[in-house]
């Protein structure tokens, strides 16, 4: 069987890291005899410049016909002020894809690499064994809620507003993924919210607490997001799975990246469901980082977030946990050799880092 990937670099360093991801996939294909077909398309600003929309209908159709979608990153100052007709998902190519494919479960693992301990702001031993999984709800909340806008009030002053909204069933399905993930890991789940000040989170907390009765083996903690941010900064090793809505999941996954030494190290998977063992799920795979306009075009982007993203795709959409392990080991070995991009204190290019990882895979 041929595994079909729709690949889209997007903008800025997105295209640069996607190139490295494709090189890795090609090497897996050759070394392990996996049949993979990659179709490329445009997303985000790159799509807007060519077609006047951030994600074409054709792209959505292609995505639905693929086994997995691999994305670099989208967006940048050039396209920030553009407003498209339609809802929030029409303003961002990735958001449209997530919504159309209903890829609601965003898995964002942040596992510390002991060889990079000196690249973190932590004292030795404080974060060296951190292994966090941020689970972000990807299809709802304030990012998608309507009404929203910037209007002018009676005094001629501007008013900006958004609508943070979750249905019970949206909370149930993401919470279930959280409990199941915790069950596969160390059995601890922390839910973050602002139930002290916002009604959406009152419901969020209530539903998650109700569901905890179905998972007596899981230790559930509920924290206000501000306290959670403080606790996570102080003691990252105290956390396992952190579940949050679209907004907090976005923020906490970047914060968790600190234990890895760079935002460029973090992979992610947005899944339609969490597959059981021997099952696969369709997913949108993308590194957690954005388009990094400050380093775009310099061949300095750390490709490891993308390479580990390919590893997640191998695990969840190909059902090849063995390949995931191969990639992770190759990444660890190349880091141990000191082959690193500038964000990790090195001087290697994206290409050179990927070369090293591929060399270890072949070995
Ligand atoms: P960013 O993640 O692009 O960059 C934040 C910082 O991290 C920058 O200093 C950048 O140089 C660095 N960085 C990020 N990835 C790196 C990598 N692989 N290697 C080395 N350094 C890396 O966040 P931002 O600057 O807030 O956003 C820039 C643009 O990206 C915005 O338009 C934003 O909307 C977009 N964005 C897109 C996504 C996505 O497509 N999933 C996610 C976040 C931000």
């Amino acid at each position: 069987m041929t595994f079909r990937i729709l690949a889209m670099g997007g903008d800025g360093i997105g295209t640069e890291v996607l190139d490295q991801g494709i090189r890795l996939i090609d090497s897996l294909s050759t070394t392990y005899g996996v049949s993979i077909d990659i179709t490329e398309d445009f997303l985000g600003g790159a799509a807007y410049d060519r077609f006047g929309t951030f994600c074409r209908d054709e792209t959505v159709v292609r995505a639905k016909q693929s086994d997995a979608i691999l994305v670099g990153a989208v967006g940048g100052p050039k396209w920030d002020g553009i407003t498209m007709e339609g809802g929030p998902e029409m303003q961002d190519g990735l958001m449209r894809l997530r919504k159309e494919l209903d890829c609601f479960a965003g898995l964002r693992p942040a596992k510390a690499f002991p060889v990079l301990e000196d690249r973190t702001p932590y004292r030795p031993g404080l974060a060296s064994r951190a292994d966090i999984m941020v689970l972000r709800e990807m299809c709802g909340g304030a990012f998608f809620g309507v009404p929203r806008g910037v209007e002018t009030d009676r005094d001629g002053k501007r008013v900006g507003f958004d609508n943070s909204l979750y249905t019970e069933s949206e909370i149930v399905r993401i919470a279930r993924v959280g409990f199941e993930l915790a069950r596969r890991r160390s059995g601890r789940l922390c839910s973050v919210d602002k139930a002290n000040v916002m009604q959406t989170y009152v419901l969020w907390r209530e539903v998650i607490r109700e569901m905890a009765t179905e998972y007596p083996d899981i230790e559930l903690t509920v924290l206000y997001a501000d306290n959670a941010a403080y606790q996570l900064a102080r003691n990252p090793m105290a956390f396992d799975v952190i579940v949050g809505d679209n907004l907090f999941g976005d923020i906490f996954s970047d914060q968790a990246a600190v234990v890895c030494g760079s935002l460029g190290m973090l992979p992610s998977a947005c899944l339609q469901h969490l597959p059981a063992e021997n099952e696969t799920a369709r997913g949108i795979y993308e590194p957690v980082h954005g388009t990094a306009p400050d380093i775009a075009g310099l061949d300095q982007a750390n490709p490891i977030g993308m390479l580990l993203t390919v590893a997640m795709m191998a695990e969840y959409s190909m059902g090849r946990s063995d390949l995931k392990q191969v990639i992770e080991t190759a990444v660890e070995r190349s880091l141990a050799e000191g082959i690193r991009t500038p964000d990790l204190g090195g001087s290697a290019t994206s290409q050179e880092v990927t070369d090293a990882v591929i060399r270890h895979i072949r070995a």
Side-chain angles (χ1 to χ4, degrees), residues 15-339:
T15 55
E16 300 170 31
V17 295
L18 180 72
D19 286 347
Q20 306 310 319
I22 290 179
R23 292 183 61 218
L24 172 66
I25 293 167
D26 287 344
S27 86
L28 288 174
S29 187
T30 316
T31 312
Y32 290 89
V34 196
S35 171
I36 300 178
D37 175 60
I38 302 177
T39 308
E40 294 201 45
D41 202 346
F42 299 97
L43 194 70
Y48 182 85
D49 287 348
R50 284 171 182 79
F51 312 112
T53 176
F54 293 116
C55 176
R56 290 181 300 158
D57 294 346
E58 294 96 299
T59 305
V60 174
V61 172
R62 281 184 186 172
K64 287 182 177 170
Q65 290 166 348
S66 306
D67 297 309
I69 298 100
L70 186 62
V71 175
V74 298
K78 182 179 171 193
W79 305 280
D80 276 351
I82 297 169
T83 307
M84 301 295 299
E85 209 174 291
E89 61 274 17
M90 296 308 289
Q91 317 308 321
D92 180 293
L94 251 177
M95 280 175 62
R96 177 163 187 212
L97 273 186
R98 290 170 187 156
K99 190 79 176 173
E100 296 266 9
L101 274 77
D102 202 21
C103 288
F104 71 95
L107 278 61
R108 300 175 157 216
K111 189 171 177 184
F113 291 84
V115 292
L116 295 181
E117 192 174 22
D118 63 334
R119 299 303 308 169
T120 75
Y122 289 103
R123 283 199 306 277
L126 253 184
S128 52
R129 281 174 290 105
D131 183 359
I132 303 160
M133 171 68 84
V134 176
L135 175 64
R136 170 182 168 192
E137 201 291 324
M138 306 291 300
C139 289
F143 287 19
F144 287 96
V146 284
R148 55 167 54 203
V150 179
E151 292 178 358
T152 309
D153 68 11
R154 279 200 212 107
D155 302 327
K157 298 286 184 201
R158 286 167 299 167
V159 183
F161 56 97
D162 294 280
N163 188 11
S164 175
L165 181 147
Y166 271 107
T167 64
E168 180 172 350
S169 52
E170 283 175 320
I171 303 170
V172 166
R173 68 178 185 169
I174 192 70
R176 199 167 292 292
V177 175
F179 282 108
E180 294 294 337
L181 274 175
R183 191 170 265 172
R184 292 179 195 184
R185 293 167 53 95
S186 78
R188 285 172 299 135
L189 176 66
C190 173
S191 169
V192 294
D193 64 45
K194 280 297 281 178
N196 49 338
V197 286
M198 285 174 69
Q199 291 304 306
T200 335
Y201 297 119
V202 170
L203 181 65
W204 178 278
R205 184 173 280 216
E206 251 175 48
V207 171
I208 287 190
R209 278 208 168 122
E210 285 159 16
M211 289 181 67
T213 58
E214 291 178 47
Y215 296 91
D217 52 320
I218 304 300
E219 183 190 315
L220 173 70
T221 319
V222 290
L223 291 180
Y224 296 132
D226 43 349
N227 180 24
Y230 172 66
Q231 302 294 344
L232 179 60
R234 276 188 74 226
N235 187 9
M237 294 197 309
F239 289 83
D240 182 11
V241 182
I242 299 175
V243 61
D245 72 330
N246 215 334
L247 179 62
F248 291 140
D250 192 11
I251 295 168
F252 278 87
S253 49
D254 272 32
Q255 191 189 334
V258 176
V259 304
C260 301
S262 166
L263 184 54
M265 299 290 290
L266 253 69
S268 89
C270 303
L271 303 177
Q272 292 176 328
H273 67 275
L274 184 66
E277 231 174 284
N278 303 324
E279 230 188 45
T280 57
R282 183 182 290 121
I284 302 171
Y285 296 88
E286 36 157 339
V288 166
H289 64 75
T291 56
D294 51 336
I295 56 164
L298 302 177
D299 198 17
Q300 283 183 0
N302 187 341
I304 292 179
M306 170 55 83
L307 305 183
L308 295 175
T309 294
V310 173
M312 291 190 84
M313 182 172 73
E315 178 179 14
Y316 291 110
S317 286
M318 296 175 80
R320 293 289 306 262
S321 298
D322 57 326
L323 295 184
K324 174 200 177 217
Q325 196 54 56
V326 163
I327 299 169
E328 288 180 354
T329 305
V331 166
E332 274 163 29
R333 289 186 178 157
S334 71
L335 286 171
E337 285 176 334
I339 302 170

